[in-house]
Amino acid sequence: MGEAKKETEVEQVSEYRQELIELREILLANVVMAAEIPSPTFHEEGVVKFLFNRFNEAGLNNVSIDEAGNATGFIPGTVGERNILVAAHVDKIWEKKEDHTISVSADSMQGRGVADNSLGVAVLATLPIILEKLDIELESNLILLGNTCSFGRGDLAGMRFFLENTKVGIDSALCLEGTQLGRLSYSSMGMARGEIEVSVGEEPDVLQMDRSSAIGSLNKIINSILAIERPEKPRTAILLGSVEAGSGYNVPPTTGRLRFEIRSESADVVARVQGEIQDIVEECRAMDQCEASLAILAQRSPGDIGFDHPLVRKARETLSELGIKTKIAPSVSELSALLDKKIPALTLGLTKGDNRHAKNESILIEPVFDGLAQLVSLLKFMDSSFDPTDEK
Amino acid sequence: MSSTTKIISDWLSTNTYHHSDFWDVEKLVEAKEKSGQSISLCIPTLNEEKTIGKEIIIFKSELMDRYPLVDEIAVIDSGSKDKTLEVAASYGADTYLSADILPEEGFKPGKGENLWKAIHQLKGDIICYVDADITNIHARFVTGLVAPLIYRPEVHYVKAFYDRPLAFSEGVRPSGGGRVTEILVRPLFSLFFPELTAMVQPLSGEYAVRREVLEEIPFPIGYGVETSHLIDVYQKWGLSAFAQTDLDSRVHRNQATTDLGKMAFGILQSFLNRLESLGMVTDLPQMETIFRQFQVEGKTYEQVLKEIVEEERPPMNTIPAYLKSRGRG
């Protein structure tokens, strides 16, 4: 790239950033509102309605809530030959009964779900105003999607429904996540998400607890899983996410549950490890004379548009222009559904934050404007310069 | 049906609203512009850094940037030791120290002082007061209060109430019918000003008032400001000058019973003073200003003394600097 052109682009990104600061209160109000509406997976109606109203207020076309509960809005392009999708998942990990109050200081916001993914939802809600503020009219059609059922058993149901049923061919896409700024996901890992349930049938003898309680059986299963061979290449991990069993100090539990994910760059390795875990569960059933079952709740295929893909290259350049270090991070979220459909796509983080998925989850306000400048810069690139079929 | 009961019933049916009656903010802005009135939002503060930022963000976004309903958002502070003013200013509020407004009148610590000085400092024809400690803040806290003033010229004073208690944990709760209201103010109103019992929540800190009313009434600087307002406005303009709006739930920090005792002591002082000045009671003895509570440690009972003096600011239209600033001096 010529020095003069590069300088112009750096100046433009910087100008976007500066102009967008004027929208700070509008954006942050949207973060507060999106965050304070409970939105557990499968019960996202409140946040979807919020997005629906914002899209209508902004005068978007075809504003609707589809059968999967997704909120969608359409901004027609001046040419309209291409279609760009910008998506943010609307579900949070928190149950409705939790306190969703957000607190705001001069430089940060804190509260359940503020990063994942209230900021993403808020940016989606504010995007029409952002483009208007910057006087940007895209040649391409822009489709805004607040997709449901991203987490856990949701298994990307909202995004999958949209991609299966949309009548619009998506040429490229961006997925918005609250954190971390600099994150660049252009590949999806192979993944299998599972639950193992153990039941010992009746309340065990307290003196035999270590051998016959659900905790004892789960413990053996966990030890066996941790002993499974995991290759360094292709990179592979088994994540033990949660263990549930028992309710006190002195009553041996009769049931227990382990939640886990297998992640690998290779679909074959995911399948092999999944098979080994199935064997472990069956062995437990036979040896401990307990009821043990494995349920696979979600699966992803590995996908990758490549480090040298023009979209990835542009994203890296933009981050560099903003002085932000790029952190490559494979994704197991919406991106994988898009890559499954061979749609060039990225997942972007919008700001810096801490304590993700904790009740004191927080985001920094100032870096959000870097995230927005990055988003706008990429949208303009996807609109005018980028041929989705050009992979190198 | 007694005449008082009928008056209250009629008033409830015509002058009690739900905030959803005014959901169309665009229409409200049109009506406001047509009426030529301006609106100031005043948030009195003292050490509210935890909640003030969110309030300013929501009000500025929803009621200035998106819909130009409010002409100014001002925080009037009693001397916070935390970052209340810094946070408020960073999100675009105008911030003032109460002591810096009308300095020739001196400074008295108390929320009522801030509300009174706002009349001088702010420009609006309507001033809407909203407390700073609301954690479930929403634009309805303003739209629901100013709308009756915009749509109905005969209404002068609109009070908030919160009528849908929900279950909350972690030390916060909706105020519902507050304890001081139900065991002090409502019985007093029933005895002396029965028509004022129509106000569901006479002590709520959220209300919108026309300037010509605000400048004519005195302001107790402490706990008695809301009760005194109701009595004074009622005496001058009658029940029909009031309206009230249900703003659903209001979530804030719960107050300890001992703090409510202090509040009740201050309100009672103001109330009795009002009765005396209106000639409704005579020969009141000199009232004590020390509120006495007790705490116990082991078998030792200890007195906890707190001096509470309900001082009062005179009507703003008697202050020369105010009259001058309004071109009437």
Side-chain angles (χ1 to χ4, degrees):
Chain A
M1 186 191 299
E3 280 303 311
K5 189 183 173 196
K6 185 170 175 56
E7 212 164 279
T8 311
E9 288 190 1
V10 171
E11 279 170 17
Q12 189 161 53
V13 171
S14 174
E15 276 170 26
Y16 289 156
R17 190 189 186 290
Q18 210 51 39
E19 280 194 64
L20 291 174
I21 288 174
E22 289 175 32
L23 297 180
R24 183 172 59 164
E25 283 75 33
I26 288 179
L27 175 67
L28 299 186
N30 280 337
V31 176
V32 169
M33 286 184 259
E36 294 195 340
I37 303 169
S39 190
T41 305
F42 299 116
H43 301 283
E44 302 100 335
E45 301 82 3
V47 172
V48 167
K49 182 78 178 172
F50 162 74
L51 265 181
F52 177 86
N53 289 339
R54 284 304 198 219
F55 289 168
N56 270 322
E57 284 172 4
L60 268 57
N61 290 1
N62 305 94
V63 177
S64 63
I65 297 174
D66 67 24
E67 292 163 55
N70 299 311
T72 50
F74 186 83
I75 303 176
T78 54
V79 176
E81 283 178 0
R82 289 183 184 171
N83 299 296
I84 299 171
L85 174 71
V86 180
H89 70 83
V90 295
D91 53 341
K92 304 180 194 130
I93 64 159
W94 301 100
E95 292 299 318
K96 197 173 178 181
K97 66 180 181 185
E98 303 285 358
D99 182 358
H100 284 66
T101 304
I102 295 297
S103 63
V104 183
S105 71
D107 58 4
S108 68
M109 305 176 87
Q110 187 182 88
R112 289 180 171 88
V114 69
D116 193 7
N117 191 25
S118 303
L119 176 59
V121 171
V123 168
L124 192 70
T126 317
L127 192 51
I129 300 174
I130 290 171
L131 296 176
E132 192 182 329
K133 170 80 181 162
L134 299 175
D135 210 15
I136 292 174
E137 278 189 282
L138 298 179
E139 291 181 4
S140 310
N141 301 319
L142 187 62
I143 297 143
L144 305 187
L145 171 71
N147 55 282
T148 57
C149 298
S150 177
F151 287 117
R153 287 173 180 265
D155 195 19
L156 309 180
M159 177 61 87
R160 288 188 205 280
F161 178 89
F162 175 81
L163 292 175
E164 289 298 329
N165 294 284
T166 181
K167 305 292 180 268
V168 178
I170 304 297
D171 293 286
S172 57
L174 294 175
C175 302
L176 306 180
E177 291 279 354
T179 55
Q180 293 283 351
L181 182 63
R183 163 193 177 164
L184 188 54
S185 301
Y186 59 86
S187 63
S188 63
M189 294 198 90
M191 187 274 279
R193 179 178 296 154
E195 274 185 10
I196 295 171
E197 288 200 333
V198 172
S199 168
V200 295
E202 59 187 41
E203 194 173 299
D205 181 343
V206 288
L207 298 176
Q208 300 293 316
M209 178 186 166
D210 59 330
R211 272 179 284 161
S212 56
S213 82
I215 289 178
S217 300
L218 271 182
N219 186 45
K220 284 182 196 169
I221 289 172
I222 289 169
N223 285 337
S224 300
I225 288 175
L226 292 175
I228 292 174
E229 186 190 336
R230 281 153 282 180
E232 284 184 18
K233 284 194 176 178
R235 287 184 299 165
T236 301
I238 304 172
L239 308 176
L240 302 183
S242 73
V243 179
E244 292 171 14
S247 58
Y249 295 97
N250 56 5
V251 179
T254 57
T255 60
R257 177 187 293 157
L258 168 69
R259 293 193 174 103
F260 67 92
E261 277 186 11
I262 307 161
R263 293 186 183 188
S264 176
E265 291 168 339
S266 157
D268 290 342
V269 174
V270 172
R272 192 254 298 163
V273 173
Q274 185 182 320
E276 288 188 41
I277 292 178
Q278 181 69 56
D279 291 344
I280 290 167
V281 170
E282 282 173 16
E283 183 185 0
C284 175
R285 195 158 48 205
M287 302 290 286
D288 278 14
Q289 297 183 331
C290 65
E291 288 298 317
S293 62
L294 167 66
I296 296 299
L297 309 173
Q299 287 197 296
R300 311 268 189 278
S301 308
D304 191 341
I305 59 172
F307 189 71
D308 288 336
H309 190 282
L311 192 53
V312 181
R313 203 182 309 132
K314 177 65 182 173
R316 284 190 279 120
E317 284 169 8
T318 308
L319 284 168
S320 167
E321 285 157 9
L322 287 162
I324 296 162
K325 195 175 170 188
T326 301
K327 187 178 178 195
I328 304 297
S331 169
V332 292
S333 58
E334 283 70 30
L335 185 70
S336 60
L338 290 156
L339 297 181
D340 276 353
K341 293 282 181 190
K342 311 294 180 205
I343 297 169
L346 297 178
T347 298
L348 305 177
L350 293 161
T351 189
K352 296 174 183 170
D354 282 316
N355 308 318
R356 184 170 174 261
H357 291 183
K359 66 180 180 183
N360 59 343
E361 188 169 293
S362 67
I363 56 171
L364 292 178
I365 292 168
E366 201 56 28
V368 171
F369 301 100
D370 288 325
L372 295 183
Q374 178 196 14
L375 168 61
V376 172
S377 177
L378 277 170
L379 279 177
K380 284 201 74 177
F381 176 76
M382 291 156 85
D383 184 47
S384 58
S385 321
F386 153 62
D387 179 355
T389 58
D390 175 16
E391 295 195 356
K392 295 287 175 186
Chain B
M1 186 187 283
S2 73
S3 66
T4 302
T5 307
K6 183 170 186 331
I7 288 168
I8 290 174
S9 294
D10 290 348
W11 182 86
L12 286 172
S13 66
T14 56
N15 285 33
T16 297
Y17 297 96
H18 185 265
H19 69 84
S20 60
D21 297 335
F22 312 113
W23 66 270
D24 191 341
V25 185
E26 206 168 347
K27 188 176 153 200
L28 191 56
V29 171
E30 276 173 28
K32 175 219 164 190
E33 284 171 358
K34 199 172 164 190
S35 74
Q37 299 174 93
S38 57
I39 298 173
S40 297
L41 173 58
C42 172
I43 305 174
T45 56
L46 178 63
N47 298 325
E48 306 284 3
E49 67 175 5
K50 287 186 178 163
T51 47
I52 190 69
K54 191 163 77 176
E55 281 205 23
I56 303 296
I57 283 169
I58 294 288
F59 289 143
K60 182 162 184 294
S61 165
E62 304 306 296
L63 302 176
M64 286 184 101
D65 296 343
R66 281 180 182 276
Y67 299 100
L69 181 69
V70 169
D71 299 278
E72 63 179 335
I73 299 176
V75 168
I76 300 191
D77 188 77
S78 301
S80 293
K81 301 288 184 213
D82 65 7
K83 292 183 178 173
T84 299
L85 289 182
E86 182 189 328
V87 174
S90 74
Y91 294 116
D94 301 326
T95 56
Y96 306 96
L97 272 174
S98 183
D100 293 343
I101 303 170
L102 291 173
E104 64 278 12
E105 299 296 327
F107 169 69
K108 298 173 189 292
K111 178 184 157 190
E113 174 85 350
N114 298 12
L115 307 183
W116 182 69
K117 287 190 168 174
I119 305 167
H120 175 73
Q121 187 64 46
L122 307 190
K123 303 175 193 75
D125 303 308
I126 292 168
I127 298 180
C128 181
Y129 297 106
V130 177
D131 277 352
D133 65 341
I134 305 169
T135 55
N136 64 329
I137 198 68
H138 187 276
R140 69 175 185 269
F141 283 79
V142 174
T143 55
L145 297 177
V146 301
L149 298 174
I150 290 170
Y151 290 128
R152 292 182 57 188
E154 74 278 18
V155 172
H156 297 317
Y157 195 115
V158 184
K159 191 92 176 163
F161 71 103
Y162 308 93
D163 201 27
R164 296 183 182 179
L166 306 168
F168 279 84
S169 59
E170 296 189 10
V172 290
R173 66 175 186 88
S175 48
R179 286 168 282 176
V180 179
T181 293
E182 297 306 323
I183 63 179
L184 178 71
V185 177
R186 191 171 302 287
L188 287 173
F189 279 170
S190 297
L191 286 167
F192 296 99
F193 306 99
E195 289 183 5
L196 283 179
T197 60
M199 308 301 291
V200 175
Q201 220 160 358
L203 299 182
S204 77
E206 287 70 46
Y207 37 98
V209 194
R210 295 190 195 282
R211 173 175 292 276
E212 57 262 35
V213 170
L214 285 171
E215 66 180 21
E216 280 203 38
I217 54 177
F219 272 66
I221 60 160
Y223 297 113
V225 62
E226 280 88 12
T227 316
S228 299
H229 274 182
L230 295 184
I231 295 170
D232 293 342
V233 173
Y234 176 68
Q235 290 295 117
K236 277 180 184 273
W237 290 278
L239 186 64
S240 61
F242 290 104
Q244 62 184 350
T245 304
D246 179 358
L247 301 181
D248 286 350
S249 67
R250 179 193 195 280
V251 184
H252 62 141
R253 295 260 163 246
N254 199 1
Q255 290 200 64
T257 306
T258 49
D259 291 336
L260 297 183
K262 291 170 194 146
M263 183 191 291
F265 184 80
I267 289 170
L268 205 44
Q269 271 189 45
S270 291
F271 194 89
L272 292 172
N273 285 333
R274 277 289 177 284
L275 290 185
E276 191 171 42
S277 64
L278 291 169
M280 296 174 78
V281 294
T282 53
D283 300 329
L284 270 181
Q286 178 67 38
M287 286 189 284
E288 296 286 343
T289 56
I290 301 293
F291 182 55
R292 296 168 193 277
Q293 292 172 304
F294 292 87
Q295 62 187 25
V296 59
E297 188 173 356
K299 290 187 176 178
T300 307
Y301 290 85
E302 189 184 328
Q303 287 190 61
V304 181
L305 308 181
K306 167 87 176 169
E307 181 166 38
I308 300 172
V309 182
E310 280 293 311
E311 287 187 86
E312 199 163 288
R313 287 294 197 176
M316 187 57 87
N317 64 7
T318 65
I319 304 296
Y322 174 73
L323 293 172
K324 193 174 173 193
S325 73
R326 308 295 297 178
R328 289 186 259 157

PDB file of all heavy atoms in Angstrom, chain A residues 341-353:
ATOM      1  N   LYS A 341     -21.400 -22.063   6.042  1.00  0.00           N
ATOM      2  CA  LYS A 341     -22.113 -21.685   4.808  1.00  0.00           C
ATOM      3  C   LYS A 341     -21.188 -21.023   3.788  1.00  0.00           C
ATOM      4  O   LYS A 341     -21.650 -20.418   2.820  1.00  0.00           O
ATOM      5  CB  LYS A 341     -23.247 -20.698   5.148  1.00  0.00           C
ATOM      6  CG  LYS A 341     -24.358 -21.301   5.977  1.00  0.00           C
ATOM      7  CD  LYS A 341     -25.253 -22.134   5.117  1.00  0.00           C
ATOM      8  CE  LYS A 341     -26.402 -22.726   5.925  1.00  0.00           C
ATOM      9  NZ  LYS A 341     -27.144 -23.728   5.167  1.00  0.00           N
ATOM     10  N   LYS A 342     -19.875 -21.094   4.074  1.00  0.00           N
ATOM     11  CA  LYS A 342     -18.856 -20.519   3.172  1.00  0.00           C
ATOM     12  C   LYS A 342     -19.009 -19.012   3.008  1.00  0.00           C
ATOM     13  O   LYS A 342     -18.727 -18.447   1.949  1.00  0.00           O
ATOM     14  CB  LYS A 342     -18.903 -21.183   1.771  1.00  0.00           C
ATOM     15  CG  LYS A 342     -18.910 -22.697   1.794  1.00  0.00           C
ATOM     16  CD  LYS A 342     -17.608 -23.232   2.332  1.00  0.00           C
ATOM     17  CE  LYS A 342     -17.601 -24.764   2.357  1.00  0.00           C
ATOM     18  NZ  LYS A 342     -16.667 -25.319   3.361  1.00  0.00           N
ATOM     19  N   ILE A 343     -19.480 -18.369   4.048  1.00  0.00           N
ATOM     20  CA  ILE A 343     -19.601 -16.900   4.018  1.00  0.00           C
ATOM     21  C   ILE A 343     -18.373 -16.306   4.700  1.00  0.00           C
ATOM     22  O   ILE A 343     -18.115 -16.611   5.874  1.00  0.00           O
ATOM     23  CB  ILE A 343     -20.880 -16.446   4.758  1.00  0.00           C
ATOM     24  CG1 ILE A 343     -22.114 -16.993   4.050  1.00  0.00           C
ATOM     25  CG2 ILE A 343     -20.935 -14.923   4.873  1.00  0.00           C
ATOM     26  CD1 ILE A 343     -23.405 -16.833   4.848  1.00  0.00           C
ATOM     27  N   PRO A 344     -17.592 -15.497   4.000  1.00  0.00           N
ATOM     28  CA  PRO A 344     -16.441 -14.855   4.647  1.00  0.00           C
ATOM     29  C   PRO A 344     -16.929 -13.997   5.820  1.00  0.00           C
ATOM     30  O   PRO A 344     -17.819 -13.166   5.643  1.00  0.00           O
ATOM     31  CB  PRO A 344     -15.842 -13.977   3.549  1.00  0.00           C
ATOM     32  CG  PRO A 344     -16.424 -14.475   2.279  1.00  0.00           C
ATOM     33  CD  PRO A 344     -17.744 -15.082   2.600  1.00  0.00           C
ATOM     34  N   ALA A 345     -16.368 -14.252   6.975  1.00  0.00           N
ATOM     35  CA  ALA A 345     -16.886 -13.565   8.157  1.00  0.00           C
ATOM     36  C   ALA A 345     -15.800 -13.421   9.210  1.00  0.00           C
ATOM     37  O   ALA A 345     -14.836 -14.184   9.242  1.00  0.00           O
ATOM     38  CB  ALA A 345     -18.070 -14.344   8.731  1.00  0.00           C
ATOM     39  N   LEU A 346     -15.989 -12.421  10.051  1.00  0.00           N
ATOM     40  CA  LEU A 346     -15.081 -12.182  11.178  1.00  0.00           C
ATOM     41  C   LEU A 346     -15.909 -11.957  12.430  1.00  0.00           C
ATOM     42  O   LEU A 346     -17.032 -11.465  12.356  1.00  0.00           O
ATOM     43  CB  LEU A 346     -14.250 -10.910  10.961  1.00  0.00           C
ATOM     44  CG  LEU A 346     -13.283 -10.824   9.804  1.00  0.00           C
ATOM     45  CD1 LEU A 346     -12.635  -9.435   9.808  1.00  0.00           C
ATOM     46  CD2 LEU A 346     -12.229 -11.904   9.915  1.00  0.00           C
ATOM     47  N   THR A 347     -15.306 -12.274  13.571  1.00  0.00           N
ATOM     48  CA  THR A 347     -15.870 -11.823  14.841  1.00  0.00           C
ATOM     49  C   THR A 347     -14.941 -10.766  15.414  1.00  0.00           C
ATOM     50  O   THR A 347     -13.723 -10.966  15.470  1.00  0.00           O
ATOM     51  CB  THR A 347     -16.006 -12.994  15.833  1.00  0.00           C
ATOM     52  OG1 THR A 347     -16.900 -13.953  15.278  1.00  0.00           O
ATOM     53  CG2 THR A 347     -16.552 -12.513  17.169  1.00  0.00           C
ATOM     54  N   LEU A 348     -15.535  -9.636  15.807  1.00  0.00           N
ATOM     55  CA  LEU A 348     -14.752  -8.520  16.336  1.00  0.00           C
ATOM     56  C   LEU A 348     -15.098  -8.280  17.805  1.00  0.00           C
ATOM     57  O   LEU A 348     -16.255  -8.389  18.203  1.00  0.00           O
ATOM     58  CB  LEU A 348     -15.079  -7.224  15.581  1.00  0.00           C
ATOM     59  CG  LEU A 348     -14.934  -7.234  14.065  1.00  0.00           C
ATOM     60  CD1 LEU A 348     -15.382  -5.885  13.507  1.00  0.00           C
ATOM     61  CD2 LEU A 348     -13.498  -7.520  13.672  1.00  0.00           C
ATOM     62  N   GLY A 349     -14.089  -7.908  18.586  1.00  0.00           N
ATOM     63  CA  GLY A 349     -14.327  -7.433  19.945  1.00  0.00           C
ATOM     64  C   GLY A 349     -14.371  -5.907  19.914  1.00  0.00           C
ATOM     65  O   GLY A 349     -13.617  -5.282  19.183  1.00  0.00           O
ATOM     66  N   LEU A 350     -15.258  -5.309  20.709  1.00  0.00           N
ATOM     67  CA  LEU A 350     -15.505  -3.864  20.575  1.00  0.00           C
ATOM     68  C   LEU A 350     -14.784  -2.994  21.597  1.00  0.00           C
ATOM     69  O   LEU A 350     -14.606  -1.808  21.385  1.00  0.00           O
ATOM     70  CB  LEU A 350     -17.013  -3.603  20.651  1.00  0.00           C
ATOM     71  CG  LEU A 350     -17.793  -4.173  19.456  1.00  0.00           C
ATOM     72  CD1 LEU A 350     -19.269  -4.296  19.797  1.00  0.00           C
ATOM     73  CD2 LEU A 350     -17.595  -3.317  18.218  1.00  0.00           C
ATOM     74  N   THR A 351     -14.436  -3.557  22.743  1.00  0.00           N
ATOM     75  CA  THR A 351     -13.698  -2.740  23.716  1.00  0.00           C
ATOM     76  C   THR A 351     -12.916  -3.647  24.660  1.00  0.00           C
ATOM     77  O   THR A 351     -12.953  -4.876  24.547  1.00  0.00           O
ATOM     78  CB  THR A 351     -14.643  -1.823  24.517  1.00  0.00           C
ATOM     79  OG1 THR A 351     -13.852  -0.905  25.284  1.00  0.00           O
ATOM     80  CG2 THR A 351     -15.504  -2.615  25.489  1.00  0.00           C
ATOM     81  N   LYS A 352     -12.206  -3.014  25.575  1.00  0.00           N
ATOM     82  CA  LYS A 352     -11.491  -3.789  26.589  1.00  0.00           C
ATOM     83  C   LYS A 352     -12.413  -4.015  27.780  1.00  0.00           C
ATOM     84  O   LYS A 352     -13.244  -3.163  28.094  1.00  0.00           O
ATOM     85  CB  LYS A 352     -10.244  -3.021  27.052  1.00  0.00           C
ATOM     86  CG  LYS A 352      -9.226  -2.817  25.944  1.00  0.00           C
ATOM     87  CD  LYS A 352      -8.090  -1.933  26.427  1.00  0.00           C
ATOM     88  CE  LYS A 352      -7.116  -1.667  25.292  1.00  0.00           C
ATOM     89  NZ  LYS A 352      -6.134  -0.621  25.645  1.00  0.00           N
ATOM     90  N   GLY A 353     -12.232  -5.134  28.442  1.00  0.00           N
ATOM     91  CA  GLY A 353     -13.071  -5.411  29.593  1.00  0.00           C
ATOM     92  C   GLY A 353     -12.462  -6.466  30.490  1.00  0.00           C
ATOM     93  O   GLY A 353     -11.426  -7.052  30.168  1.00  0.00           O
TER      94      GLY A 353
END
